[in-house]
Amino acid sequence: MPAWAHRLGEDPGLLRQLADALGEVHATVLAPYWPQVGAGLAADRALRARQVLHGGVERLLNGLYPPRIRWRPPVLEVDLLSGIEGDVHLGGRGLLLVPSVFATQAPLVDPDTEPRPVLTYPAHYDPATGPLLVARPAASGAPAPVSALLGRTRAAVLHTIARRPGCTTGELAAALRITASGASQHATVLREAGLVTTLRDRNTALHTATPTALALLERSR
C-alpha cells in the first residue's frame, strides 16, 4: 500500500478525494462500455449453459480457457500468470465461475472467498480469435449496415434471437421456417450492424442480442 493510504481511516477529505477519483474513472472508463460488457457476459453465460447441457460439467470445464485451464479428473488445473503453485481442496464447497472482460490474459483464483472459492476466467476465449473483446460504443446515428436490416424476415430473426439468448443458427432456421443458410446470412448482417453477438462452441454458432438490439426492439413496440 502507498504511504498516503494509511491516512484514509483518519482523513475524511482524503477519503472523499479518493471516492471522487474512482467515480471519474468509472464514468470515463467503464460506464460508456457497460452495456457491451453486459451483452458479452450474457453471451458467455448462454455458451456455458449449452456446454453443460450437451456435454456436462466436464465439457464446461474443458472449454473455459483451454490455454490455461484443463480438466484432468478429478483435478482442475489452472495456470496463473504469477507462476504460484499450490492445491485448493474444495471439500464439497463447490467452485464459483466468474467470466470477466478484464482478466483477458489469464484466469485468477481466490481460494479464500466464502462460501466457496472463486475462479475468474476470460469471457469466452476462442482459440481462433482470442478472448471476447468489448467494442467501442456506437457513435450517434445509425451505421450504414443498419439500413440492410429492413425487411420482415430479418426483423423476425432479430426478435427470435432477443427472445432466445444463445440460440443456434439451426434453431433460428427451425423457429422461423427458413433455410439454415438464410438464417446464417441474416445473423451475419445483424452481427455486422452491431445488433448480435455470435460466439462459437466447436462447430456451432450461438447468437445473442446486443443492448442496441434490445433497445431498438423496445422502442419499436
Side-chain angles (χ1 to χ4, degrees):
M1 298 287 288
W4 61 264
H6 297 287
R7 307 201 317 270
L8 286 172
E10 55 193 39
D11 188 340
L14 182 60
L15 185 60
R16 283 194 297 271
Q17 185 179 354
L18 175 61
D20 291 343
L22 291 175
E24 288 293 329
V25 170
H26 176 269
T28 304
V29 179
L30 295 179
Y33 297 89
W34 207 247
Q36 287 81 2
V37 169
L41 297 181
D44 186 87
R45 286 195 301 271
L47 170 64
R48 304 310 167 191
R50 182 177 181 84
Q51 289 175 334
V52 171
L53 181 64
H54 293 280
V57 175
E58 293 81 3
R59 181 173 172 185
L60 167 68
L61 296 177
N62 272 319
L64 285 177
Y65 189 50
R68 290 183 173 270
I69 300 177
R70 296 173 298 276
W71 172 240
R72 294 180 177 173
V75 177
L76 182 65
E77 297 180 352
V78 181
D79 294 339
L80 305 178
L81 279 181
S82 63
I84 294 176
E85 296 185 3
D87 297 330
V88 178
H89 297 279
L90 299 180
R93 293 176 296 166
L95 181 67
L96 180 62
L97 303 177
V98 179
S100 173
V101 297
F102 302 109
T104 59
Q105 299 302 314
L108 305 170
V109 176
D110 189 342
D112 300 320
T113 55
E114 295 293 343
R116 61 187 61 85
V118 172
L119 170 60
T120 301
Y121 64 93
H124 185 58
Y125 179 88
D126 188 322
T129 61
L132 178 69
L133 299 179
V134 177
R136 291 181 176 273
S140 58
V146 174
S147 62
L149 297 177
L150 299 177
R152 180 177 301 176
T153 302
R154 192 161 296 152
V157 169
L158 181 59
H159 187 260
T160 301
I161 293 174
R163 292 175 52 206
R164 305 181 184 183
C167 63
T168 68
T169 303
E171 290 167 346
L172 270 179
L176 299 174
R177 298 182 180 179
I178 59 178
T179 64
S181 60
S184 177
Q185 181 181 8
H186 288 304
T188 298
V189 174
L190 292 167
R191 183 172 63 253
E192 291 175 349
L195 297 177
V196 166
T197 297
T198 299
L199 304 182
R200 299 202 67 84
D201 180 27
R202 299 183 178 179
N203 295 325
T204 302
L206 310 177
H207 310 290
T208 303
T210 66
T212 301
L214 296 177
L216 178 64
L217 292 171
E218 182 66 25
R219 288 195 298 268
S220 65
R221 287 184 179 180

